[in-house]
């Protein structure tokens, strides 16, 4: 009989307990969360965890024929089972779901957040816009990773983002792009055949993990869009348009009510907002590196 094993993770301000009867999954999680795994030599029997997650291989005939895994949070199964080969992707997607549906002490926005020289950049875009590729490229060039998927905006400090230094999720062509862009990037195993295609996870740099309890204040909100063969162009976006887009991208905006509305209004009012189009990752990173070194004039629009 296969017994479950557990590991603990410190993910920014959150602690996660993962239990599984798949030793391969636990090994993969330990590897891509290098630096975030809690000490397993101490007695953590009574340790507090924000989330108790189980990802198990199903028993019975499913153990042998098209083996599947299921995800549960405190016994609740919010997703249908997936193929065993997608266990790591299921854990990552499930953890996103846990945070987005439970961490209402923050305004949670679907966005990547990075920081350099004390200047913080939020990248918010729907799937397929090139957000994670751009985020990974910036991180590979020395930007601190605060988040790839979920921006946690503190309710008690306008514009302050609490880090979630987790692995960066890359999909399909983005995996090859980042491997070519930064051969030293550490990328975990491929999960193929998912609903999003092939998925892999780039490890968060050790310095980002080390500073994962250190919040930072936003300087810019950028809405990126990859467009094949396009020039690298950044242009000002109105505050009203930015507010509406971020409200749509927020997971719990409706739950926070007036508090969420006021916070998002203040955040958008305090920072510069831009649309950004790119096709060349080197040019894109070079442009944001320049922004981190100097003040960008309000209302500017230029192409590289």
């Amino acid at each position: 009989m296969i017994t479950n094993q557990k590991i603990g993770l410190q993910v920014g301000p959150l602690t996660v307990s993962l239990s599984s009867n798949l030793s391969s999954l636990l090994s993969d999680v330990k590897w891509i969360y290098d630096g975030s795994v809690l000490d397993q030599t101490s007695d953590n029997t009574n340790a507090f965890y924000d989330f108790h997650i189980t990802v198990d291989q199903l028993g019975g005939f499913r153990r042998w024929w098209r083996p599947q895994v299921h995800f549960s949070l405190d016994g609740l199964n919010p997703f249908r089972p997936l193929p065993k080969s997608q266990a790591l992707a299921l854990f990552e997607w499930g953890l996103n779901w846990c945070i987005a549906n439970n961490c209402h002490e923050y305004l949670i926005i679907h966005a990547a957040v990075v920081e350099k020289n004390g200047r913080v950049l939020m990248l918010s875009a729907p799937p397929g816009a090139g957000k994670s590729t751009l985020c990974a490229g910036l991180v590979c060039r020395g930007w601190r990773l605060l988040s790839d998927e979920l921006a946690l905006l503190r309710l008690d400090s306008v514009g302050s983002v609490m880090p979630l230094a987790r692995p960066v999720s890359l999909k399909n062509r983005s995996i090859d792009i980042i491997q070519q862009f930064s051969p030293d990037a550490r990328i975990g195993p491929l999960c193929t055949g998912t609903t999003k295609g092939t998925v892999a996870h780039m490890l968060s740099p050790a310095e980002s993990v080390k500073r994962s309890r250190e919040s930072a204040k936003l300087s810019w909100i950028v809405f990126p869009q990859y467009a094949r063969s396009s020039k690298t162009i950044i242009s000002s976006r109105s505050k009203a348009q930015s507010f509406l887009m971020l409200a749509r991208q927020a997971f719990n905006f409706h739950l926070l009510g007036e508090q969420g509305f006021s916070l998002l209004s203040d955040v958008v009012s305090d920072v510069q907002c831009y649309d950004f189009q790119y096709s060349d990752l080197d040019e894109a990173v070079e442009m944001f590196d320049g922004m981190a070194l100097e003040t960008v004039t309000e209302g500017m629009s230029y192409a590289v």
Side-chain angles (χ1 to χ4, degrees):
M1 180 177 179
I2 301 176
T3 59
N4 278 41
Q5 294 180 307
K6 294 183 180 181
I7 61 172
L9 302 173
Q10 181 73 53
V11 184
L14 307 172
T15 51
V16 179
S17 171
L18 170 62
S19 172
S20 181
N21 58 13
L22 288 172
S23 60
S24 58
L25 171 63
L26 294 174
S27 296
D28 288 343
V29 171
K30 286 179 181 179
W31 195 79
I32 68 169
Y33 278 86
D34 184 30
S36 298
V37 179
L38 296 174
D39 183 7
Q40 299 297 295
T41 62
S42 60
D43 182 8
N44 287 324
T45 304
N46 297 316
F48 173 82
Y49 292 99
D50 293 283
F51 301 116
H52 292 266
I53 293 171
T54 300
V55 179
D56 273 346
Q57 179 177 346
L58 295 176
F61 78 97
R62 277 297 189 186
R63 184 178 174 188
W64 310 107
W65 185 73
R66 296 182 180 179
Q68 293 184 331
V69 291
H70 69 90
F71 176 99
S72 65
L73 172 67
D74 294 328
L76 173 68
N77 303 113
F79 314 113
R80 64 179 178 82
L82 292 182
K84 178 183 175 182
S85 60
Q86 299 176 20
L88 181 58
L90 179 59
F91 168 69
E92 284 294 287
W93 295 334
L95 182 53
N96 284 339
W97 180 86
C98 291
I99 297 170
N101 284 276
N102 292 281
C103 295
H104 302 311
E105 64 270 34
Y106 304 99
L107 175 61
I108 307 170
I109 296 177
H110 180 225
V113 188
V114 292
E115 175 264 326
K116 192 170 190 178
N117 299 332
R119 320 247 0 230
V120 179
L121 166 67
M122 176 190 286
L123 303 166
S124 182
K131 167 184 64 66
S132 291
T133 306
L134 181 54
C135 172
L138 291 165
V139 170
C140 288
R141 290 293 186 267
W143 288 67
R144 174 165 72 111
L145 175 65
L146 279 77
S147 175
D148 165 48
E149 288 285 344
L150 305 173
L152 303 183
L153 272 63
R154 291 173 49 180
L155 300 181
D156 61 350
S157 180
V158 173
S160 184
V161 182
M162 181 59 69
L164 273 177
R166 294 170 56 198
V168 178
S169 177
L170 301 173
K171 296 177 283 294
N172 303 313
R173 187 165 172 265
S174 293
I175 301 169
D176 293 331
I177 290 173
I178 293 302
Q179 286 177 326
Q180 295 173 14
F181 180 79
S182 180
D184 293 333
R186 295 192 295 166
I187 298 177
L190 300 179
C191 296
T192 60
T194 78
T195 56
K196 299 182 180 182
T198 299
V199 178
H201 301 88
M202 186 186 85
L203 275 66
S204 177
E207 183 64 17
S208 296
V209 174
K210 182 179 179 181
R211 299 174 62 188
S212 63
R213 305 297 294 274
E214 180 185 327
S215 61
K217 193 166 184 179
L218 284 171
S219 298
W220 314 283
I221 297 172
V222 173
F223 301 90
Q225 178 63 60
Y226 173 85
R228 187 183 296 273
S229 301
S230 74
K231 294 181 178 180
T232 301
I233 302 174
I234 188 167
S235 56
S236 293
R237 185 185 182 97
S238 75
K239 303 285 188 178
Q241 288 178 327
S242 300
F243 177 91
L244 290 174
M245 178 62 77
L246 291 176
R248 294 190 193 104
Q249 293 291 318
F251 290 93
N252 59 346
F253 181 75
H254 61 296
L255 292 175
L256 294 176
E258 183 179 348
Q259 187 179 23
F261 183 93
S262 297
L263 176 67
L264 190 57
S265 297
D266 291 342
V267 168
V268 172
S269 296
D270 285 353
V271 303
Q272 297 167 317
C273 302
Y274 298 101
D275 285 312
F276 179 65
Q277 183 173 293
Y278 78 102
S279 63
D280 188 300
L281 186 57
D282 281 291
E283 286 187 357
V285 170
E286 180 182 356
M287 195 211 72
F288 285 113
D289 278 343
M291 289 174 63
L293 293 174
E294 59 185 55
T295 302
V296 181
T297 303
E298 180 68 28
M300 80 168 187
S301 175
Y302 68 86
V304 177

